[in-house]
């Protein structure tokens, strides 16, 4: 006699939205960021029903930035869910940023129904083709049954080799299509990438070059942070007494306050090192392409990278070590351990670096100690640094705000610094902060996120303050407000300019409205807002914000409109913006 239960199961129907959500769940996706609408709303609902967290944002670009930061922080891609046409186009900035930063990301975009293609359907756009320029992998499943296979490949592509963005296109008719549950075969979770190691002979050569260096330098990039190489790199630094320089998002792999950190003598270290070991750091604009006059013409580079195509970019390296950064660092340690050795801490090189560090730090402290009002950048950052929790995430973007903040605001833990990154992208700050807050709430309750924004940078994604308040995220926003892009004007000068002419004719392109009360954006949605003009007000508002764990805060910090970075030799820009 036939099994009636089997007959019922064989006829059970499941929606395309549920299939998509289950495929994501099977691939260990934890977070989806996006803006719902036709045709993707049902996907978000189905994902929530399966336990995936959905965070509704106010702009697809910010949603995509948030999803990409999840990839960096967790090693598995966050998902950005967007509607067709304009929604997808808004997310392209996030895809490009993820690809340039080498962070895992999966974008899922709705598209018009298949039977309306080429007919001028609502929001019709060649989405798969458009995304190929911004991603490692871009595809549309041929059927609902193919969805789990395509999503597994997208997730795998996003984390294998050099991580990056991937795109999966979902036609509208897939979402509500009902299919037999037995026709769907889910692909098991793709495993973490296999650990690759460098050639033994290359490791031996690298160790020999390091031992022979008279003026060595380690550069720690965000690739080392992503590879969780902190323990092995710190051992290398300490065991062999080697000076190191972190790139902006390499900060914290070894704590910034470590005695062998030479960040305050950055240009001196780069310019006179004779051997430089790059751990997951690329010789791009951030490191001045590895070329003179920033470097010695005969400097020997040792490149450690997961991506073969990166080896030899812009320079001819002395040694290339292709492989997982953590594994390769352990190989180096093993090889160096064979012959007891350490770089002498009393060397002339160390003396030169320490003298320059002391000189630059003294100049910064002198600027920070100025009592005149409005405050300058250094005064603000030194007061902020005094109160920052050691385990907080620091998110930063802006021009001078980010550049100077990198030299003053310290990181003590890996993967706790997020900023504009390789692509120099403005507008990432609030999305990154929201992603960090979600990870902190789930994995380290009580951690705070300090998001340091220039006033111009804040404007790119300011409405995400509502997202922060809606989810009650543990974020403190610091808007360092100089009334402009790079520089602005005070209110009196502004009024004089507008006396006789139209603003568009006379106001310099860099200027923003003076004394804007950005803190009121936060209070409008129920958070705490502070308008700060003095060091005492800054200290008090930050202390109150850190003590109040029930609401997010925004501190609007007024500084001298013409304030800029001091003349120094360790800022990160290849050339001045002004």
């Amino acid at each position: 006699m036939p099994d009636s239960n089997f007959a019922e199961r064989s006829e059970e129907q499941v929606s395309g939205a549920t299939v998509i959500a289950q495929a994501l769940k099977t691939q260990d996706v934890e977070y989806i960021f996006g803006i719902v609408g036709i045709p993707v709303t049902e996907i978000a609902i189905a994902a929530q029903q399966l336990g995936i967290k959905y965070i509704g944002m106010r702009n697809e670009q910010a949603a995509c930035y948030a999803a990409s930061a999840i990839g960096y922080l967790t090693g598995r891609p966050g998902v950005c869910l967007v509607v067709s046409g304009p929604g997808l186009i808004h997310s392209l900035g996030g895809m490009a940023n993820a690809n340039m930063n080498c962070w895992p990301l999966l974008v899922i975009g709705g598209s018009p129904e298949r039977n309306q293609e080429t007919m001028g359907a609502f929001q019709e756009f060649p989405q798969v083709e458009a995304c190929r320029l911004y991603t490692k992998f871009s595809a549309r499943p041929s059927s609902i049954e193919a969805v789990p296979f395509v999503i597994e490949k997208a997730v795998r592509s996003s984390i294998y080799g050099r991580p990056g963005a991937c795109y999966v296109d979902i036609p509208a008719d897939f979402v509500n299509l009902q299919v037999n549950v037995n026709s769907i075969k889910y692909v098991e979770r793709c495993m973490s990438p296999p650990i690759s190691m460098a050639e033994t002979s290359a490791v031996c050569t690298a160790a020999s070059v390091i031992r022979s260096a008279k003026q060595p330098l380690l550069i720690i990039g965000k690739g080392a942070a992503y590879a969780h190489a902190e323990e092995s790199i710190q051992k290398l630094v300490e065991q062999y007494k080697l000076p190191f320089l972190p790139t902006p998002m390499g900060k914290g792999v070894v704590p910034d306050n470590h005695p062998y950190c030479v960040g305050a003598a950055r240009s001196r270290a780069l310019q006179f090192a004779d051997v430089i070991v790059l751990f997951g750091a690329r010789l791009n604009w951030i490191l001045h392409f590895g070329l003179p006059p920033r470097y010695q013409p005969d400097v020997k580079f040792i490149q450690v990278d997961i991506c073969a195509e990166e080896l030899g970019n812009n320079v001819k390296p002395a040694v290339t070590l292709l492989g997982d950064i953590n594994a390769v660092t352990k190989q180096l340690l093993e090889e160096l351990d064979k012959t007891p050795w350490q770089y002498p801490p009393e060397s002339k090189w160390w003396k030169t670096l320490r003298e320059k560090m002391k000189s630059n730090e003294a100049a910064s402290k002198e600027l920070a100690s100025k009592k005149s009002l409005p405050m300058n950048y250094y005064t603000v950052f030194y007061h902020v640094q005094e109160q920052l929790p050691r385990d907080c995430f620091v998110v930063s973007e802006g021009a001078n705000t980010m550049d100077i903040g990198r030299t003053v605001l310290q990181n003590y833990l890996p993967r706790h610094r997020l900023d504009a990154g390789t692509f120099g992208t403005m507008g990432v700050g609030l999305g990154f902060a929201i992603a960090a807050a979600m990870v902190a709430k789930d994995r380290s309750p009580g951690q705070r996120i300090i998001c340091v924004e220039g006033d111009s940078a804040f404007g790119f994604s300011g409405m995400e303050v509502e997202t922060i308040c809606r989810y009650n995220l543990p974020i403190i926003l610091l808007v360092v407000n100089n009334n402009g892009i790079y520089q602005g004007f005070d209110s009196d000068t502004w009024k004089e300019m507008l006396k006789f002419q139209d603003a568009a004719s006379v106001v310099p392109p860099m200027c923003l409205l003076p004394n804007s009360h950005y803190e009121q954006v936060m209070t409008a949605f129920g958070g705490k807002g502070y308008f700060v003009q003095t060091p005492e007000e800054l200290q008090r508002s930050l202390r109150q914000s850190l003590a109040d764990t029930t609401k997010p805060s925004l501190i609007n910090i007024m500084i001298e409109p013409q304030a800029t970075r001091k003349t120094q030799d360790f800022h990160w820009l290849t050339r001045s913006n002004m």
Side-chain angles (χ1 to χ4, degrees):
M1 190 173 173
D3 183 345
S4 60
N5 289 332
F6 175 80
E8 288 175 9
R9 286 197 304 273
S10 66
E11 295 176 4
E12 184 180 345
Q13 299 287 293
V14 64
S15 72
T18 300
V19 172
I20 295 161
Q22 184 60 62
L24 294 172
K25 180 74 173 177
T26 303
Q27 296 307 319
D28 209 15
V29 167
E30 295 183 75
Y31 306 95
I32 296 177
F33 301 83
I35 300 177
V36 295
I38 299 171
V40 300
T41 303
E42 290 83 0
I43 298 173
I45 294 170
Q48 284 185 315
Q49 291 172 343
L50 292 173
I52 299 174
K53 290 185 169 72
Y54 174 80
I55 300 93
M57 306 284 282
R58 300 304 300 265
N59 181 281
E60 290 93 353
Q61 200 171 62
C64 208
Y65 294 144
S68 68
I70 289 290
Y72 173 63
L73 295 172
T74 71
R76 303 291 291 190
V79 169
C80 177
L81 181 66
V82 297
V83 299
S84 51
L88 183 278
I89 291 168
H90 290 168
S91 71
L92 293 178
M95 290 188 222
N97 191 66
N99 250 17
M100 294 298 289
N101 275 336
C102 309
W103 290 356
L105 167 69
L106 174 55
V107 176
I108 294 181
S111 59
E113 295 183 11
R114 289 170 296 171
N115 62 7
Q116 296 177 356
E117 283 186 5
T118 74
M119 295 175 65
F122 176 66
Q123 297 184 332
E124 185 174 5
F125 187 73
Q127 296 180 183
V128 176
E129 296 90 332
C131 290
R132 287 203 175 104
L133 185 61
Y134 301 87
T135 60
K136 293 179 67 179
F137 172 78
S138 179
R140 171 193 281 188
S142 58
S143 64
I144 285 292
E145 288 77 9
V147 163
F149 297 92
V150 173
I151 284 180
E152 187 275 340
K153 182 169 184 178
V155 169
R156 178 161 38 87
S157 298
S158 77
I159 62 175
Y160 275 44
R162 171 176 277 177
C166 293
Y167 174 68
V168 175
D169 193 74
I170 303 293
D173 51 306
F174 277 15
V175 176
N176 291 311
L177 185 67
Q178 298 291 314
V179 296
N180 190 302
V181 69
N182 291 325
S183 69
I184 305 298
K185 307 297 181 187
Y186 293 101
V187 183
E188 65 182 47
R189 177 188 186 273
C190 73
M191 301 305 293
S192 298
I195 301 300
S196 55
M197 301 175 72
E199 293 180 2
T200 303
S201 60
V203 175
C204 293
T205 304
S208 176
V209 172
I210 293 169
R211 279 199 188 96
S212 65
K214 292 183 172 57
Q215 297 180 169
L217 177 67
L218 310 182
I219 298 181
I220 303 171
K222 68 173 175 286
Y226 182 79
H228 290 247
E230 53 267 17
E231 186 177 330
S232 55
I233 289 179
Q234 185 160 346
K235 183 178 179 182
L236 182 69
V237 166
E238 293 176 348
Q239 194 160 310
Y240 300 107
K241 316 294 184 189
L242 294 166
F244 75 91
L245 175 72
T247 65
M249 275 187 275
K251 286 164 63 69
V253 170
V254 182
D256 282 346
N257 64 344
H258 195 284
Y260 299 155
C261 179
V262 296
R266 177 183 185 273
S267 286
R268 184 65 53 92
L270 295 180
Q271 189 170 7
F272 294 104
D274 64 349
V275 171
I276 295 177
V277 189
L278 297 157
F279 292 97
R282 289 172 280 178
L283 291 174
N284 55 22
W285 66 276
I286 292 178
L287 289 175
H288 315 289
F289 314 108
L291 300 174
R294 287 286 188 171
Y295 298 83
Q296 292 293 307
D298 58 351
V299 61
K300 294 179 180 177
F301 285 105
I302 299 172
Q303 286 185 280
V304 185
D305 206 286
I306 192 69
C307 178
E309 290 84 352
E310 189 61 41
L311 303 175
N313 268 353
N314 299 325
V315 301
K316 183 175 175 56
V319 191
T320 59
L321 300 175
L322 176 65
D324 175 83
I325 293 162
N326 189 32
V328 173
T329 306
K330 289 178 180 178
Q331 287 180 278
L332 267 176
L333 283 166
E334 288 176 9
E335 185 61 33
L336 289 167
D337 282 347
K338 290 178 181 177
T339 306
W341 168 86
Q342 64 176 214
Y343 185 72
E346 69 282 357
S347 66
K348 184 179 178 181
W349 177 232
W350 261 122
K351 182 181 178 183
T352 299
L353 292 173
R354 288 189 177 116
E355 286 176 353
K356 191 60 180 174
M357 288 164 64
K358 186 176 179 181
S359 170
N360 282 339
E361 287 166 353
S364 296
K365 287 178 181 176
E366 182 181 353
L367 278 168
S369 67
K370 291 186 181 298
K371 303 295 184 184
S372 58
L373 295 176
M375 294 180 284
N376 63 46
Y377 287 102
Y378 289 88
T379 303
V380 168
F381 290 135
Y382 272 96
H383 285 297
V384 171
Q385 174 59 35
E386 285 180 346
Q387 294 193 48
L388 282 188
R390 287 182 66 87
D391 66 346
C392 72
F393 287 87
V394 176
V395 180
S396 185
E397 64 172 329
N400 295 328
T401 298
M402 182 174 63
D403 293 332
I404 298 172
R406 285 167 173 165
T407 68
V408 180
L409 302 179
Q410 297 199 327
N411 287 88
Y412 308 101
L413 296 172
R415 298 169 299 282
H416 277 61
R417 168 109 197 169
L418 296 160
D419 69 18
T422 306
F423 212 25
T425 309
M426 292 297 108
V428 296
L430 272 68
F432 283 2
I434 289 167
M438 294 303 300
V439 171
K441 284 182 73 171
D442 290 346
R443 303 187 181 188
S444 303
Q447 272 190 320
R448 306 303 295 274
I449 288 77
I450 312 298
C451 184
V452 187
E453 301 271 306
D455 50 329
S456 171
F458 177 74
F460 282 85
S461 56
M463 276 303 293
E464 298 303 335
V465 168
E466 188 273 333
T467 308
I468 291 169
C469 290
R470 185 172 5 119
Y471 293 101
N472 198 29
L473 299 176
I475 296 172
I476 299 172
L477 292 167
L478 307 179
V479 178
V480 184
N481 189 347
N482 69 347
N483 301 335
I485 304 169
Y486 306 121
Q487 295 179 346
F489 287 115
D490 58 41
S491 56
D492 290 339
T493 305
W494 177 267
K495 290 172 185 174
E496 285 298 314
M497 283 194 297
L498 299 187
K499 270 186 177 178
F500 306 107
Q501 297 187 58
D502 174 68
S505 302
V506 297
V507 173
M510 299 162 317
C511 289
L512 300 173
L513 188 67
N515 302 332
S516 294
H517 282 267
Y518 298 111
E519 78 284 353
Q520 292 182 8
V521 179
M522 179 64 81
T523 59
F525 300 115
K528 292 286 187 70
Y530 303 88
F531 185 78
V532 163
Q533 294 178 293
T534 68
E536 295 74 22
E537 291 173 347
L538 173 58
Q539 291 172 320
R540 184 168 57 252
S541 61
L542 185 54
R543 189 162 50 246
Q544 291 172 357
S545 297
L546 288 167
D548 186 355
T549 58
T550 64
K551 289 184 177 181
S553 303
L554 190 154
I555 305 173
N556 186 14
I557 307 165
M558 303 307 302
I559 67 167
E560 166 57 47
Q562 297 293 305
T564 184
R565 66 170 63 89
K566 71 182 179 73
T567 302
Q568 58 184 352
D569 74 354
F570 58 101
H571 63 74
W572 285 92
L573 295 184
T574 304
R575 59 183 182 274
S576 172
N577 285 301
M578 297 296 293

